[in-house]
Amino acid sequence: MKGFKFMRRMSKLQDGHPAESEANVQQSHNFDHDSKHFQQEKGTRRFRRAWILGSVGLVLLATVLVGAEKKYVAANTVTYYQVLVKGEEVGRLTDQTQLNQLYEKKQREYQEKYPNSTMVLQTEGITIEEQKAYKPEVDSEATLTKLDGMLKAYAVGVQLMVDGKAVGIVKDQETANAVLEGVKNHYVPQAEVATTASKLTRTAASSSSAAKAKAPEQVESVEISEDISIVPIKADPNKVLDVEAAVQTLTEGKEAPLLYTVQEGDTISGIAKRFEITQKEIYSNNPNVKELTLKIGDTLKLKVPQPDVTVVTVEKVTEQIVTEPEVVVRSSDQLAAGKSKVVRPGQTGLKEMEYRVTKENGTVVQEEWLGQTVIKASLPEVVYRGTKVVGEGTGMFSWPVSGATLTSSFGERWSRAHKGIDMVSSNRNIKASDAGTVIFAGVQNGYGNVVIVDHRNGYQTYYGHLKSISVSTGQRLEQGGKIGVMGSTGRSTGTHLHFEIRKNGTAVNPMKYLQ
């Protein structure tokens, strides 16, 4: 509008209005000044508006960019699991279940490797923590491989203790119980029972008889002498024993020196057999010992396995013994003095003997005679003799002690050789078992005070370890005549009578003849 007015003024000046034109010129100058100022203000406002709009745009753009960045970062921030061993990072996993799967895998591997043990994986000190980070470096495979090589396991077992001494580790209480039963059964196996029965048969029967022996009728008790305890333990699985190995360890023991005292009836061969060593080893360790000069009470140096446990077994054993027939002597004036004639041969009988045998680790330490039962009575042999002569035996033997109890039987059995039988009684008077003549009355090595009676019919009887002797050499005795008093002289373990019957110089089982 102002521009329009300005144009009209200029038109008037050109049309010849001087005064008005000057005023109009001034007015026009002022107008131009105002117009310029207006234009400047207008530009400023436009700049301001543009600057504001630009600033707002920059703020909006920055806001958009920051939001986009946050979304990008958020989209690339992931959760991982940091694995620590005793506080030190060993790796990272994408999923914590990977660690549990590794545990299960290693547990199976150790259990398969040691099936006789209960294996426990050692995971103490291993921890896992959840973490979050922008594009973290996570190598689960490398972490699991590293952990796989670090994971160890131990066996949970029980320690067998014998009198406080550790002797072996087994899987658990049930296995330990089975081991102890196995150790007990080791000393009463069927094989040993059969062997014992075979020995009894050979001992009891003569070469022409058919006597039979029985296995133990009853195992009265089987006990371990030592104090046994079972203690839970963490163990190296390579040291955990199965039942068979543990039984072998406890029954075989370790080889160690042993001083053995020679007992009645011992021989070098018998001792070697009992301890499962060679005679050569015995002679090597005892250069001054000779078989023929071995004496009761001698000490032998042995090196033998000594088991950690002592199993005491008490068994009842029966054996059948062939009994010799009684000899019935009848006088005949038709026969010369000292001559005899069998008019009716006798027949052997059969009786059953019962013993209670106590063993320690299979070795007999006590033998008790419980009694006998006659299965078949013998048929007496009838003999005619011209004249009965004092000092000549009848062939019928009576017990030399009244009310006797047998404490040790005859023969080589249970790794011992015994030429006679041992007996005890409250009545300690010793009597002649049959009529005869005393051929020795004095002291002999091993026997102590001993009396030997010759019955003039091929038989001799020995009476050993007497406290006192009541006869002298050359004296003739009737059956039942007093010989002496029971004692413990010589190599004796206690008061008892050692009684032998020898036929033609060879020791025979007295139980075949005693009536």
Side-chain angles (χ1 to χ4, degrees):
M1 186 66 181
K2 288 182 179 182
F4 181 70
K5 290 180 178 181
F6 174 74
M7 293 297 293
R8 287 183 61 185
R9 287 186 184 125
M10 291 297 294
S11 178
K12 286 179 179 183
L13 288 173
Q14 292 174 358
D15 288 342
H17 298 284
E20 188 175 334
S21 297
E22 186 176 348
N24 289 339
V25 169
Q26 183 63 40
Q27 184 177 2
S28 176
H29 176 77
N30 292 334
F31 173 79
D32 290 338
H33 177 75
D34 291 339
S35 177
K36 289 179 180 180
H37 180 71
F38 172 77
Q39 290 296 331
Q40 289 177 351
E41 289 183 352
K42 184 176 180 182
T44 299
R45 286 195 300 272
R46 286 177 180 173
F47 176 75
R48 288 175 178 173
R49 188 181 300 114
W51 184 83
I52 291 171
L53 290 174
S55 297
V56 170
L58 288 173
V59 170
L60 291 174
L61 178 60
T63 301
V64 171
L65 291 174
V66 169
E69 182 181 4
K70 286 183 177 180
K71 289 182 179 179
Y72 180 79
V73 170
N76 288 276
T77 297
V78 296
T79 299
Y80 69 93
Y81 296 89
Q82 185 182 32
V83 181
L84 307 171
V85 176
K86 295 181 179 180
E88 296 291 331
E89 180 178 315
V90 296
R92 300 175 178 181
L93 299 174
T94 57
D95 190 341
Q96 62 180 342
T97 60
Q98 292 174 311
L99 183 60
N100 294 330
Q101 290 171 355
L102 176 62
Y103 287 167
E104 293 173 0
K105 168 180 166 288
K106 293 297 290 183
Q107 175 70 36
R108 286 194 304 271
E109 288 177 357
Y110 277 114
Q111 195 60 64
E112 290 171 0
K113 184 176 180 179
Y114 302 104
N116 294 323
S117 302
T118 300
M119 301 301 297
V120 176
L121 200 64
Q122 298 185 55
T123 60
E124 295 84 356
I126 301 177
T127 57
I128 187 168
E129 295 181 1
E130 182 178 323
Q131 303 286 356
K132 290 184 178 181
Y134 172 70
K135 290 187 176 181
E137 292 185 6
V138 179
D139 191 340
S140 295
E141 184 177 353
T143 301
L144 293 173
T145 300
K146 189 173 182 179
L147 281 173
D148 186 283
M150 298 172 66
L151 286 172
K152 305 298 180 184
Y154 61 85
V156 174
V158 295
Q159 178 81 65
L160 284 168
M161 309 288 291
V162 178
D163 284 343
K165 173 188 173 184
V167 295
I169 302 170
V170 294
K171 182 178 180 181
D172 50 28
Q173 178 76 46
E174 183 179 358
T175 305
N177 293 338
V179 170
L180 295 178
E181 285 303 310
V183 171
K184 292 178 182 179
N185 292 335
H186 177 79
Y187 294 103
V188 284
Q190 291 301 313
E192 180 180 326
V193 168
T195 302
T196 301
S198 177
K199 288 182 179 179
L200 291 175
T201 301
R202 290 197 298 271
T203 303
S206 64
S207 59
S208 60
S209 65
K212 298 180 180 179
K214 296 182 180 179
E217 289 185 343
Q218 178 185 358
V219 177
E220 294 186 340
S221 65
V222 183
E223 301 292 340
I224 294 177
S225 296
E226 291 77 10
D227 179 34
I228 304 294
S229 58
I230 299 172
V231 181
I233 190 175
K234 292 181 180 180
D236 179 349
N238 293 299
K239 296 183 179 180
V240 177
L241 305 174
D242 59 19
V243 173
E244 183 178 356
V247 169
Q248 183 176 0
T249 297
L250 291 178
T251 54
E252 289 186 353
K254 296 180 180 178
E255 195 172 75
L258 172 68
L259 289 177
Y260 177 75
T261 301
V262 176
Q263 302 176 27
E264 185 176 1
D266 274 339
T267 61
I268 294 295
S269 59
I271 295 171
K273 186 175 183 181
R274 182 188 312 176
F275 291 103
E276 297 182 352
I277 56 178
T278 64
Q279 296 183 48
K280 183 178 180 181
E281 289 177 276
I282 297 178
Y283 288 124
S284 175
N285 293 327
N286 304 272
N288 296 326
V289 170
K290 305 296 180 182
E291 178 77 67
L292 297 178
T293 59
L294 194 65
K295 301 176 184 178
I296 297 172
D298 285 348
T299 300
L300 297 180
K301 296 179 181 179
L302 306 179
K303 194 171 184 181
V304 297
Q306 298 184 40
D308 293 304
V309 296
T310 305
V311 178
V312 179
T313 59
V314 179
E315 306 169 8
K316 276 188 177 179
V317 182
T318 59
E319 66 172 329
Q320 293 180 355
I321 293 181
V322 174
T323 58
E324 297 297 328
E326 178 184 0
V327 178
V328 177
V329 179
R330 295 175 181 173
S331 298
S332 174
D333 57 6
Q334 296 182 5
L335 293 176
K339 298 295 183 179
S340 62
K341 179 180 180 181
V342 176
V343 295
R344 187 183 72 187
Q347 293 183 3
T348 57
L350 188 65
K351 63 181 177 181
E352 189 171 77
M353 308 288 292
E354 186 175 18
Y355 303 88
R356 178 179 285 113
V357 178
T358 302
K359 302 176 184 177
E360 291 183 356
N361 290 350
T363 299
V364 174
V365 294
Q366 184 178 353
E367 180 184 343
E368 180 185 1
W369 179 51
L370 301 179
Q372 64 184 29
T373 302
V374 176
I375 298 174
K376 177 186 175 183
S378 60
L379 181 64
E381 181 176 289
V382 179
V383 177
Y384 282 172
R385 284 185 177 174
T387 302
K388 181 179 180 181
V389 179
V390 175
E392 184 175 331
T394 64
M396 297 181 292
F397 295 92
S398 62
W399 285 84
V401 177
S402 299
T405 298
L406 194 67
T407 59
S408 184
S409 55
F410 170 84
E412 185 173 349
R413 63 178 70 189
W414 304 301
S415 301
R416 296 186 63 187
H418 201 203
K419 292 182 179 180
I421 59 175
D422 292 343
M423 60 188 76
V424 296
S425 174
S426 58
N427 184 347
R428 297 186 177 180
N429 291 320
I430 309 302
K431 301 175 293 184
S433 182
D434 196 4
T437 301
V438 177
I439 61 172
F440 184 87
V443 178
Q444 279 194 9
N445 188 30
Y447 288 93
N449 292 330
V450 62
V451 172
I452 303 175
V453 177
D454 187 351
H455 302 284
R456 307 293 184 181
N457 56 3
Y459 290 96
Q460 290 179 346
T461 51
Y462 283 58
Y463 309 80
H465 307 310
L466 301 183
K467 178 181 180 182
S468 61
I469 297 174
S470 303
V471 296
S472 58
T473 301
Q475 183 177 340
R476 294 185 176 187
L477 298 173
E478 293 284 354
Q479 188 178 54
K482 186 175 180 180
I483 284 179
V485 178
M486 185 185 300
S488 185
T489 57
R491 300 296 184 180
S492 172
T493 57
T495 300
H496 70 285
L497 171 66
H498 175 79
F499 177 68
E500 294 182 17
I501 297 180
R502 297 193 181 188
K503 183 178 182 180
N504 298 322
T506 301
V508 294
N509 190 350
M511 298 304 296
K512 292 183 178 182
Y513 299 88
L514 292 176
Q515 304 297 322

